Amino acid sequence: MRKESSTNFSNENTLNEFCAAHRVLTQISGRWKMSLLFALAERTLRYKEFIVVLPNLSERILTKQLSELQRDNLISKTKDKTSSEYSLTVKGKRFIDLLKSFQSLDNLSSVSDKNFYRSFSYL
């Protein structure tokens, strides 16, 4: 948590107010959020199944990141008497499509692409 008087706090507030891309990326920032979203892209998961799918993820962080994803309406939670199930919302599915398009950007490392980007003096 940043002090409200800090420059970082002020800069972050300005970005949140004026930059839609920053607001979008903030929703998926966090070490495990993308992994959680991709796991849910495969199928609906119960809470304990996340521990199996992502064994290095602590329960404390899992709970925190799941609640943040719920708060941002990327996932939904349904409870029954014995467990909770998580699934992607429509917005979450759109985020998956966005993340997959980011993966395709990784293919920009071919020689012709590098020569293309070298033609821009500011890159």
Side-chain angles (χ1 to χ4, degrees):
M1 193 98 184
R2 291 188 178 98
K3 292 185 214 172
E4 290 185 23
S5 61
S6 74
T7 303
N8 286 342
F9 183 81
S10 174
N11 290 343
E12 188 169 335
N13 283 340
T14 301
L15 279 171
N16 280 330
E17 187 175 343
F18 296 107
C19 183
H22 181 267
R23 286 191 302 274
V24 168
L25 292 173
T26 299
Q27 292 179 7
I28 56 171
S29 67
R31 183 173 180 179
W32 295 99
K33 285 184 182 178
M34 284 194 269
S35 298
L36 293 169
L37 289 172
F38 275 109
L40 288 170
E42 299 294 319
R43 63 186 175 96
T44 298
L45 292 172
R46 294 177 186 263
Y47 181 85
K48 290 293 184 183
E49 291 176 307
F50 284 109
I51 304 298
V52 175
V53 172
L54 300 165
N56 295 327
L57 177 58
S58 71
E59 287 195 42
R60 182 180 75 80
I61 297 298
L62 173 60
T63 300
K64 180 179 183 283
Q65 303 248 310
L66 286 173
S67 64
E68 289 173 7
L69 289 168
Q70 277 182 269
R71 178 198 67 209
D72 294 332
N73 197 30
L74 296 173
I75 65 171
S76 63
K77 176 181 178 180
T78 26
K79 287 184 176 183
D80 61 18
K81 293 180 182 178
T82 59
S83 66
S84 299
E85 287 189 343
Y86 296 87
S87 59
L88 290 176
T89 61
V90 172
K91 182 179 176 183
K93 290 174 185 174
R94 290 179 63 204
F95 261 82
I96 289 294
D97 293 338
L98 176 67
L99 294 173
K100 286 180 179 177
S101 69
F102 284 163
Q103 286 178 328
S104 69
L105 291 175
D106 189 38
N107 297 330
L108 292 177
S109 60
S110 70
V111 174
S112 62
D113 289 334
K114 287 180 183 175
N115 290 332
F116 171 77
Y117 287 106
R118 283 187 190 138
S119 67
F120 296 101
S121 59
Y122 58 87
L123 294 178

